Amino acid sequence: SESSTTSAVDYLHPKTSKPTHQDDMDQQINQLTPQQRQAVLMRAQQEANQQIMQDMIQRMVKTCFNKCAGTSGDRLDSREQSCMASCQDQYFETRNQVQQALEARQSGMR
């Protein structure tokens, strides 16, 4: 019978006559020149890096605010402002140290 000749792969991932969105994307990517592919990859990396930076800044603001803001009302007093500045400086310094360590590790892998 026909079912006895169907492999497990065909059963789990049946071929459809209708192309999928992924098939369309793969076809479009394959039509790009190597330079265009590189530009697409660089753009995607830039967007990912931008999102990572935005997420980090949001975490920093939340963390520092929770650490430094008291109950002085709707404005930060001078002590709270100083605490926020110091907290943010520490956050960025830590981020820079991690980034430098990752870059050193990557250059060692090349």
Side-chain angles (χ1 to χ4, degrees), residues 1-106:
S1 77
E2 186 177 322
S3 63
S4 63
T5 61
T6 304
S7 73
V9 172
D10 291 337
Y11 181 76
L12 293 173
H13 304 287
K15 306 250 185 299
T16 61
S17 59
K18 180 180 176 188
T20 65
H21 181 66
Q22 184 65 41
D23 292 336
D24 291 341
M25 287 179 53
D26 289 346
Q27 185 178 8
Q28 289 175 2
I29 289 172
N30 289 334
Q31 293 174 355
L32 297 175
T33 66
Q35 294 84 2
Q36 289 170 324
R37 283 187 205 154
Q38 184 66 25
V40 168
L41 289 174
M42 287 179 65
R43 175 72 178 170
Q45 185 64 51
Q46 288 171 342
E47 289 177 10
N49 289 345
Q50 185 176 11
Q51 184 62 49
I52 290 167
M53 186 60 109
Q54 287 174 348
D55 292 345
M56 186 207 62
I57 289 172
Q58 287 176 349
R59 280 193 311 276
M60 176 193 65
V61 168
K62 183 177 181 179
T63 299
C64 292
F65 186 83
N66 288 339
K67 176 183 174 184
C68 297
T71 56
S72 62
D74 61 351
R75 294 179 184 252
L76 298 175
D77 63 26
S78 61
R79 181 193 58 78
E80 292 167 329
Q81 289 176 17
S82 176
C83 178
M84 287 288 289
S86 176
C87 181
Q88 291 171 358
D89 288 345
Q90 289 175 351
Y91 215 93
F92 282 120
E93 180 60 30
T94 300
R95 181 197 171 279
N96 288 338
Q97 289 175 357
V98 169
Q99 184 174 0
Q100 289 171 0
L102 290 173
E103 288 172 359
R105 183 181 296 174
Q106 282 182 334

